[in-house]
Amino acid sequence: MARVVVDVMPKAEILDPQGQAIVGALPRLGFAGISDVRQGKRFELEVGDDVDDATLESIAETFLANTVIEEWKVTRL
Amino acid sequence: MARVVVDVMPKAEILDPQGQAIVGALPRLGFAGISDVRQGKRFELEVGDDVDDATLESIAETFLANTVIEEWKVTRL
């Protein structure tokens, strides 16, 4: 068994309204100095030892990320 | 300017229906060997150099995570 993390983030050129809402709210809550926030998703997978990296990339690309608007990164812990 | 990542994941004892939906769907899509998936959130913050770790922990705890059901981790990149 191995633990794998897939991070999925909106591409840089894509508007991120959730992140912008957070940036806008932080000063009102008394937190200064945060100039940008992007919100994405994090998946933690428990995978068998026979699952290779190509399969994990395929899962991330075809299933976990929307490749039109999101970029993703697969990391084995 | 520094880049900070805040990972927010459902606590281990909390049901994660989104993750369970993914685990259930993967075999039907031809991907075997994934025994568990948990879905959480990832925030990427651009913070000024004068923002200290205590402030970042406070932002994560009070604003980005629901501490009743989620755990969080702050990482400076």
Side-chain angles (χ1 to χ4, degrees):
Chain A
M1 277 294 164
R3 173 158 290 199
V4 174
V5 171
V6 180
D7 290 317
V8 176
M9 297 297 296
K11 287 182 180 176
E13 66 268 27
I14 299 288
L15 277 178
D16 174 15
Q18 294 181 108
Q20 288 308 303
I22 295 168
V23 171
L26 283 170
R28 296 198 300 273
L29 293 164
F31 297 112
I34 314 293
S35 58
D36 191 36
V37 178
R38 312 273 299 166
Q39 179 174 350
K41 287 173 279 188
R42 175 187 170 95
F43 300 91
E44 294 184 356
L45 287 67
E46 293 284 340
V47 309
D49 295 329
D50 56 338
V51 178
D52 60 14
D53 288 350
T55 301
L56 292 173
E57 288 286 341
S58 180
I59 289 172
E61 181 175 0
T62 62
F63 191 53
L64 299 180
N66 177 348
T67 56
V68 176
I69 60 169
E70 292 170 327
E71 57 189 12
W72 73 95
K73 189 167 61 114
V74 177
T75 311
R76 285 184 180 266
L77 296 190
Chain B
M1 278 293 164
R3 172 159 290 199
V4 174
V5 171
V6 180
D7 290 317
V8 177
M9 297 298 294
K11 287 182 179 175
E13 66 270 26
I14 299 288
L15 279 176
D16 174 15
Q18 294 181 109
Q20 289 307 303
I22 295 168
V23 170
L26 284 170
R28 296 197 301 272
L29 293 165
F31 296 112
I34 314 294
S35 58
D36 191 35
V37 177
R38 312 267 307 161
Q39 179 174 349
K41 287 173 279 189
R42 175 187 171 94
F43 300 91
E44 293 184 357
L45 287 67
E46 293 285 338
V47 308
D49 294 330
D50 56 338
V51 178
D52 61 13
D53 289 349
T55 301
L56 293 172
E57 288 286 339
S58 179
I59 289 173
E61 181 175 359
T62 61
F63 190 54
L64 299 180
N66 176 348
T67 57
V68 177
I69 59 169
E70 292 170 328
E71 57 190 11
W72 74 96
K73 189 167 60 115
V74 177
T75 312
R76 284 184 181 266
L77 295 190

